[in-house]
Amino acid sequence: MNAKHADRLAELRAKFDRPPSWKDDPKEDKERQTIRERQPRFRGLEAGHRACQGCGEALAARLVTEAAGPDVILTNATGCLEVFTTPWPQSAWRVPWMHSLFENSAAIASGVEAAMKAQGKSTKVIAMGGDGGTFDIGFQALSGMLERDHDVLYVCYDNEAYMNTGIQRSGSTPHAAMTTTSPPGKERMGKRHLKKDLLSIIAAHHIPYAASASVAYPRDVTRKVRRALSIEGPTFLLIHCPCPLGWGHDGARTIEVARLAVQTGLFPLVELERGAITGVMPIRDQKPITDYLGLQNRFRHLFAKNDHRAEEEREHLQAIADYNIAIYGLAADGDDPLDSEGADTVHRCAIVP
Amino acid sequence: MVTLTRGTYALSGTSLAFKTGTWRVERPVHKHWAAPCHAACPAGEDAQAWIAKVQEKKLQQAWEILVSANPMPAVTGRVCPHPCEQGCNRGSYDQPIAIHNLERFLGDEAIRNNWAYPVPKKAKASAPTVAIVGAGPTGISAAYHCIRLGLKPTIFEALPEAGGLLRSAIPMTRLPRDVLDAELERIFALGIEFKPRHRLGRDINLEELRQDYDAVYLGPGCQRSKEWSVAGAVPGDLADGLHLLKEWVDHGGVPNTKKVVIHGGGNTAMDIARVLKRHGAEEVHLVTASGLPGPDTAPDDILNVVPRELEEGVEEGVIMHPHANLKRLLMRGSKLVGVEMVSLKKLPTASGRKARVSFEGTERVLDADIVIPCIGEAVDPEGMERVLGGSNYFRPDDWGRLSGQDNLLAGGDARGDRGTVSAAVGDGRKAAIALAAKLIDGVEPEGAPRQPIDIASLNLNYFQKGTRAKAPTLPVEERTDHAEIEGSLEWSQVSAEGERCFSCGNCLACDNCWTYCPDNAVLKTADVAVDGSHYVFDYDFCKGCGLCATECPCGYIEMIGEPE
Ligand SMILES: Cc1cc2nc3c(=O)[nH]c(=O)nc-3n(C[C@H](O)[C@H](O)[C@H](O)COP(=O)(O)OP(=O)(O)OC[C@H]3O[C@@H](n4cnc5c(N)ncnc54)[C@H](O)[C@@H]3O)c2cc1C
Ligand SMILES: Cc1ncc(C[n+]2csc(CCOP(=O)(O)OP(=O)(O)O)c2C)c(N)n1
Ligand code: SF4
Ligand code: SF4
Ligand code: SF4
Ligand code: SF4
């Protein structure tokens, strides 16, 4: 490490207590590195962010940036992720990151990508947004980006409502879920409409790769991010991220909730290339949707006694899950190491040399 | 100084200045529980710990951990009824881990490669001395652990060779003597002083031993047959099962019989039944008051035979009469011609205690030319009369300490409440620990501090069903007096079997906590952290969401209230 770097590091240390390691000294100064600085993985999203306890979105963003590595530029729509990672004057990001508006993450990413291309750089661009910013308000920018064939990966963190402004329904909110703008009552049992089938719309842009993933299957997330980044052209990833605050589940059970969404068939994990289904995560043991609904307050009214609509809506959601399984061919025939039971199997990893 | 202006930029990773740990009301901590296999092993083996090393493919280290409790895995891997497997959490998921097969594999590998037994504490010249009576598994284990703990042991054995019942009674078809010899030889080579042909009560006496040594451990087993008769009758040519077995082991001879009735339901009964069947007896009936394993039998009423041996015995044609007793011997003069049996069961009596009740009207007669009692033995009191005080067995505390007797301990079969090799090994180990604590450090021994963890505390989502490894067995028609019946697992089977272990209550190093923490508050270390894992919580940032604890497959993370 040269003197200039050392001074800079000292300055940062004094100011922020635990700065990230200096980028070109991974080995030189072992002694002064903290354990955090020596983690054997790239830290794209650092601790100290202000997400809720057990936030699925924070986890997903951490996984995406870890998989992407340092040579990326991120753009972010307004929303929880933007707000909790960048409480001014701090930032939890350790890669270049940009925010402008709620609706224009894809548009900004398009510009950044064009600039990189003009400069002859290979730095990858990832545009990010919540489901509100993607399914609804940022949709035209996204559609344009896909249509113009920009070399950008768009990641939508799907927590199925506008969480940052207090849990309003979005185009992604599932049918019958309670939000502040789709309260259950005399007229309705939560959201009246269906969850928008965004993936099909994206796929209709004929892009090289679009996929859905879930925080319950981190290795699958990593693989899909790397796959997408290895492709030249527009790619899209929809990641299911339970929100303890908005869904009303215990933050300790975020993964359990996410896993059940996959195991029930309510959130199918699929891959599409040029609009055709090229891969799915098969479901080994389909779980009844009530296992999933029962963990979340947003579906509490579906368990109301003495309300015939509760059962009807439960059956409706079960029918949707069964439909997904049929349409995408999710029913496993035989055990597969990469199916819903196999994909998260753990082994002892040999850390010690 | 860098000045930041609103709306422009922030430096990367600067959120680290904000300690989100202050939000926490509960914190995750690592908690190492006892795996059920560990809690259930009478020898005190921590199978979880050594299987972890098998998973890392570090077989010698696995064996070293194993022998820190049990010096004779090649023996116990063959003969132990493996209560560890009954305890194994995997049993309520698919099938228990084949712990005894893995244990045997490691024991055999150690012999094949001549791995050295680790001796953590070398004895000083002035080290306390321990006299051990009996070179059965309990005496050998006591001596071995004395060596490990820095005490100087001497074993006094009545017979010319060490091994106790392992050598004199357990059939070679279950425990080949070359395996026994190899394992014992390696243990004795650690520096155990061995005095064969020294019988307490004949060649030496207890008072002398207590004067010459700092402590004495009694492991004489049970050598005295108990009185046996049926309603007062005894055939003229009576010989008990253990005696017949020992003769057979010694020189291969067995009584020439056609129809045999064995009375009793332990290993001796099953072993002699199988030997006689193999030697041409037409019918071998095993009459036992206990029941066969199954839904109709209470756990405390199942006959005390290694499950595999029961299976193989039945396969070989031994006819079982569970929940039955002998009521009368049918004699012609002093010669047996048959027995009368009656059904019975252990049932609660008016006082609530359980007692055996026979059922009138279930009497039936079996033709027989020999009846062989196998009802257990008692301690031969010779030389130990004062300590035994007229009872059949010693009644020491769990460490083997006899009340009112300074530095005199006892264990193994001589306790009367044990009856397996692994329990005998465990007793020897505990006695050595108690003695080392007292004689070297002047303190009380410390018991097992960890609670066993049950399956509900594991997260089974991270495991997949799989089938248990099965060792090859010799077909019935190829079984002889000598060939070993159960074979060894291949390394590929051992490795696959090890992979099935849940690592109950201890870190599997699976990375789940590290992978799932949304706050980057679990850090991975290349060095081993103080608690033995490779992960530390960064409480500066941990928000206490509890996600890592839920997703830890092994129950190794517990949420506790945030300390004030
Ligand atoms: C036929 C049979 C089959 C069995 N099968 C199994 C099995 O499959 N699995 C299992 O776990 N257990 C089995 N057991 C039980 C197991 O063998 C015993 O529990 C175990 O050997 C007890 O060990 P020990 O050291 O306490 O006693 P022992 O093995 O009996 O050893 C006692 C030793 O002390 C010596 N000794 C006795 N008195 C004196 C004296 N006065 N002075 C000096 N030396 C003396 C004896 O010669 C002997 O060597 C079986 C037992 C029998 C009889
Ligand atoms: C044009 C515009 N309309 C509304 C808002 C207010 N707003 C900020 S964040 C947000 C919700 C974001 O929801 P979503 O995109 O689903 O992300 P989440 O917070 O759920 O991660 C809204 C409505 C805004 N910033 N800009
Ligand atoms: S000694 Fe017996 S109980 Fe202990 S681990 Fe070995 S087989 Fe299991
Ligand atoms: S799964 Fe492994 S650690 Fe758990 S009880 Fe069985 S052998 Fe022991
Ligand atoms: S997952 Fe992270 S933040 Fe949550 S309790 Fe565990 S260490 Fe703390
Ligand atoms: S989650 Fe895995 S790595 Fe973390 S403590 Fe539990 S077993 Fe160990």
Side-chain angles (χ1 to χ4, degrees), chain B residues 34-87:
Chain B
C37 52
H38 180 189
C41 175
E45 266 179 49
D46 187 349
Q48 184 280 320
W50 59 256
I51 294 174
K53 290 294 170 191
V54 172
Q55 292 176 337
E56 288 179 28
K57 309 209 182 338
K58 293 180 179 146
L59 296 185
Q60 186 169 358
Q61 284 183 27
W63 175 81
E64 286 175 358
I65 294 173
L66 194 167
V67 298
S68 69
N70 171 9
M72 43 183 89
V75 170
T76 52
R78 287 176 165 83
V79 303
C80 183
H82 46 74
C84 53
E85 294 181 23
Q86 268 97 65

Side-chain angles (χ1 to χ4, degrees), chain A residues 171-253:
Chain A
S172 169
T173 304
H175 176 67
M178 170 179 75
T179 66
T180 52
T181 49
S182 63
K186 263 223 268 324
E187 296 299 322
R188 304 258 175 265
M189 287 299 265
K191 183 181 170 184
R192 177 188 160 190
H193 306 99
L194 302 177
K195 182 180 173 93
K196 187 192 281 185
D197 182 5
L198 184 69
L199 220 45
S200 295
I201 305 172
I202 298 288
H205 289 73
H206 209 65
I207 59 171
Y209 185 74
S212 53
S214 163
V215 286
Y217 297 93
R219 281 192 296 273
D220 186 60
V221 172
T222 303
R223 180 181 66 80
K224 285 170 176 166
V225 170
R226 295 205 171 129
R227 176 82 212 282
L229 289 177
S230 73
I231 290 168
E232 202 178 313
T235 51
F236 180 86
L237 191 55
L238 180 68
I239 308 182
H240 203 224
C241 314
C243 165
L245 182 79
W247 298 12
H249 67 266
D250 179 353
R253 304 179 83 169

Side-chain angles (χ1 to χ4, degrees), chain A residues 47 51 62 259 284 347-348, chain B residues 15 55 462 464 517 543:
Chain A
R62 220 205 71 213
R259 187 188 298 121
R284 192 182 296 180
H347 299 281
R348 184 174 296 279
Chain B
S15 59
Q55 292 176 337
Y462 296 102
Q464 288 194 74
C517 174
K543 293 171 185 163

Side-chain angles (χ1 to χ4, degrees), chain B residues 78-81 133-139 156-159 161-166 169-171 174 198-201 204 219-223 242 245 267-269 271 306 309 377 380 382 384 411-414 418-422 424:
Chain B
R78 287 176 165 83
V79 303
C80 183
V133 177
T138 205
F156 297 89
E157 164 61 50
L159 300 177
E161 282 182 294
L165 293 172
L166 302 179
I170 296 188
R174 307 209 274 122
H198 279 66
R199 185 179 174 83
L200 184 73
I204 42 173
C222 294
Q223 312 281 333
L242 183 56
L245 255 184
N267 283 310
T268 309
D271 281 336
V306 181
E309 308 306 325
E377 289 74 32
D380 181 348
E382 203 189 345
M384 298 169 268
D413 274 8
R418 295 294 200 241
T420 62
V421 178
S422 54

Side-chain angles (χ1 to χ4, degrees), chain B residues 133-134 136-139 165 200 217-224 226 377-381 384 387-388 391-397 400 402 409-420 423-425 427-428:
Chain B
V133 177
T138 205
L165 293 172
L200 184 73
Y217 179 65
L218 300 173
C222 294
Q223 312 281 333
R224 182 170 58 84
K226 286 184 190 163
E377 289 74 32
V379 177
D380 181 348
M384 298 169 268
V387 191
L388 272 169
S391 68
N392 276 342
Y393 310 106
F394 297 107
R395 289 278 177 243
D397 68 7
L402 292 158
L409 294 82
D413 274 8
R415 290 181 61 116
D417 56 356
R418 295 294 200 241
T420 62
V425 167
D427 283 349

Side-chain angles (χ1 to χ4, degrees), chain B residues 28 513 516-519 521-522 537 541-549 559:
Chain B
C513 50
Y516 283 127
C517 174
D519 288 278
V522 179
F537 297 107
F541 300 105
C542 165
K543 293 171 185 163
C545 68
L547 198 155
C548 53
M559 299 303 291

